[in-house]
Every structure is written in C-alpha cells, then in structure tokens.
C-alpha cells in the first residue's frame, strides 16, 4: 500500500483494502475477499464482508460526469468496521452521490472525503442508520478554487426502531476568491440516538497565520500553497 501513501497521501493501516483508481477497481492493490463489488456504468456498489480486520475502501483520482458510490454494511463484528477514504479532484463538471447504509449492529462506517474542485461540483451524501447501535460518520473537505461552483448536500437518516445509533456528517470548505458555495445538511431522526450531529463551515486562514508565514520569508503564492496543503491533509 506504499503506492497509495506516496501518490495520494492517504494513510493506511492494518485492514483489508478495496482500492479504486480513477473509478476503476484495482485488483493488485485490493484484498479480493474484502468486499463484493457490483459495478455498472455510473454506479459502484460495495458490500464489505465480515472478518478479523476492518475494510478500508480507498477511491483516488479524477472524477467527472455523474457517479454514485453505494456502501452497504451488514457487518456484525465491531472490529471489522468500514473505513472510506476518497481523495479526488474534478477539472470538468461532476456530480458525486455517496450512499452509506449500515445495518450491522455495533459496527461503524467512517468516511473521509477530500475533493479539489476546479469547475462545477455537486456532492450528495446520504447516511442511513438502518439498525440499532450502528454508526455512520462522514467528514467532507472541499478545496474550491477560483470562480468555481460547489454544492454540498447531506441527509442523515436514523430509521424507526433503531435506538442507540450514531450519525455525524460534516462539511468544511476552503474557498478561493469568486468561488460559489452552497451547503445543505439535513437530518431525519426517528429513533433516540446516542449521537446525531452535523456541521457546515467555511475555512479561512487567520491574519496571524498569514503574517507568521510571511515573516518566515514565504511569498504569497507559497503561503497559499502551504495553507491549501494543510487544509487538505
């Protein structure tokens, strides 16, 4: 898994990897027994299997057009929770739907979505707790470059008769000049949860941070690059 770290700066750990590069399943980097994959033209459905190690779903590369990623978990072993790392960029208009369904009691889906938007980007995240004691946590960071258009939507759903669930979706955007941002987090809570949270924020560097980096001899372009790298990683 050194390739993933060296090329995309995604941390790996003892897990059963399921890797997609540029939207294409990579058998050489994956554990073929970690998940069942149903792949159609615009939709990839991933159904992780139970095991002694967690499943780590990794998606890297460029995105464009319409794409849907569905993660369905019925894992019952808490040690086999699912980790989802997506690190991508779009240079043409893109629509990305991410649907996480968890029916595995005491298991969790933990997602980290990082995208650089160079054009027009729409991301829709649906996090469904479909059984009691399940957890879905999705953290999304978007670097919106100059004059781009970004729309982020989220729907967290805890169904009836599913007590003790945990659900948390957050959006954070670092926006350049002229970037348009729209964020719409929503929740549908039908059972008493252990945790039900969401957040949406715009990140801007503090004047003190910029002044400190400038005092170290950095040019404005260097400062911009350092701040963006820190936000993404």
């Amino acid at each position: 898994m050194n390739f993933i770290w060296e090329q995309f700066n995604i941390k790996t750990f003892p897990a059963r990897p399921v890797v997609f590069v540029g939207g294409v399943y990579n058998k050489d980097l994956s554990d073929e027994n970690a998940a069942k994959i149903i792949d159609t033209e615009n939709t990839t459905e991933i159904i992780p299997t139970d095991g002694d190690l967690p499943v780590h779903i990794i998606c890297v590369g460029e995105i464009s057009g319409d794409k849907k990623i569905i993660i369905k978990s019925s894992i019952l072993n808490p040690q086999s929770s699912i980790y989802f790392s997506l690190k991508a960029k779009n240079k043409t208009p893109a629509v990305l739907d991410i649907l996480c369904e968890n029916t595995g009691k005491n298991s969790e889906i933990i997602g980290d979505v990082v995208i650089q938007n160079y054009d027009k980007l729409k991301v829709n995240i649906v996090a469904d707790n479909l059984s009691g004691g399940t957890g879905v946590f999705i953290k999304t960071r978007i670097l919106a470059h100059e004059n781009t258009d970004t729309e982020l939507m989220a729907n967290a759903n805890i169904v009836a008769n599913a007590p003790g669930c945990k659900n948390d979706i957050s959006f954070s955007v670092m926006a350049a000049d002229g970037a348009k941002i729209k964020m719409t987090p929503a929740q549908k809570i039908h059972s008493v949860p252990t945790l039900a949270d969401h957040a949406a924020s715009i990140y801007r560097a503090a004047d003190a941070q910029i002044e400190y980096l400038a005092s170290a001899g950095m040019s404005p372009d260097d400062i911009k690059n350092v701040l963006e790298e820190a936000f993404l990683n």
Side-chain angles (χ1 to χ4, degrees):
M1 298 299 288
N2 286 339
F3 172 83
I4 296 296
W5 170 252
E6 293 170 359
Q7 297 295 318
F8 300 102
N9 200 27
I10 290 179
K11 294 180 180 178
T12 56
F13 47 88
R16 295 171 291 149
V18 179
V19 180
F20 297 84
V21 179
V24 179
Y25 176 63
N26 190 308
K27 290 184 178 180
D28 294 336
L29 296 175
S30 301
D31 180 341
E32 293 189 44
N33 297 316
K36 178 182 178 181
I37 298 169
I38 303 171
D39 214 351
T40 60
E41 183 177 358
N42 295 318
T43 302
T44 298
E45 185 173 337
I46 306 166
I47 307 172
T49 60
D50 223 329
D52 294 332
L53 291 174
V55 174
H56 190 184
I57 301 166
I58 300 171
C59 301
V60 292
E62 289 194 19
I63 56 174
S64 62
D66 293 356
K67 181 66 176 178
K68 179 180 288 186
I69 298 172
I70 303 172
I71 301 172
K72 292 186 175 181
S73 171
S74 58
I75 286 174
L76 298 176
N77 179 4
Q79 303 304 317
S80 297
S81 291
I82 298 161
Y83 294 85
F84 173 56
S85 300
L86 185 146
K87 196 164 190 177
K89 62 180 64 174
N90 70 297
K91 296 182 179 180
T92 58
V95 178
L96 178 62
D97 293 319
I98 299 173
L99 172 60
C100 297
E101 298 181 355
N102 195 350
T103 60
K105 187 174 181 180
N106 299 322
S107 72
E108 297 178 341
I109 299 175
I110 303 167
D112 188 27
V113 176
V114 181
I115 303 176
Q116 291 195 60
N117 180 18
Y118 289 88
D119 197 289
K120 186 173 183 179
L121 175 67
K122 183 176 181 180
V123 178
N124 180 37
I125 296 175
V126 178
D128 287 340
N129 296 81
L130 302 179
S131 180
T134 56
V136 183
F137 308 88
I138 308 293
K139 178 173 67 174
T140 301
R141 284 168 287 153
I142 305 293
L143 176 56
H145 292 278
E146 292 184 6
N147 302 316
T148 56
D149 191 343
T150 302
E151 183 175 359
L152 304 175
M153 298 182 294
N155 191 349
N157 180 35
I158 298 177
V159 301
N161 301 315
C165 291
K166 299 177 182 179
N167 195 308
D168 189 355
I169 300 177
S170 66
F171 292 140
S172 182
V173 179
M174 185 175 185
D177 292 341
K180 297 180 181 179
I181 309 295
K182 181 179 180 180
M183 294 183 280
T184 310
Q187 292 179 313
K188 296 179 181 178
I189 310 300
H190 301 285
S191 298
V192 178
T194 299
L195 172 70
D197 203 0
H198 64 237
S201 62
I202 298 289
Y203 171 78
R204 291 192 182 277
D207 291 341
Q209 290 175 298
I210 296 173
E211 291 170 3
Y212 175 80
L213 294 173
S215 69
M218 288 189 176
S219 68
D221 285 343
D222 288 339
I223 292 172
K224 176 178 177 292
N225 292 336
V226 165
L227 291 172
E228 289 179 350
E229 187 70 18
F231 174 78
L232 290 172
N233 295 309

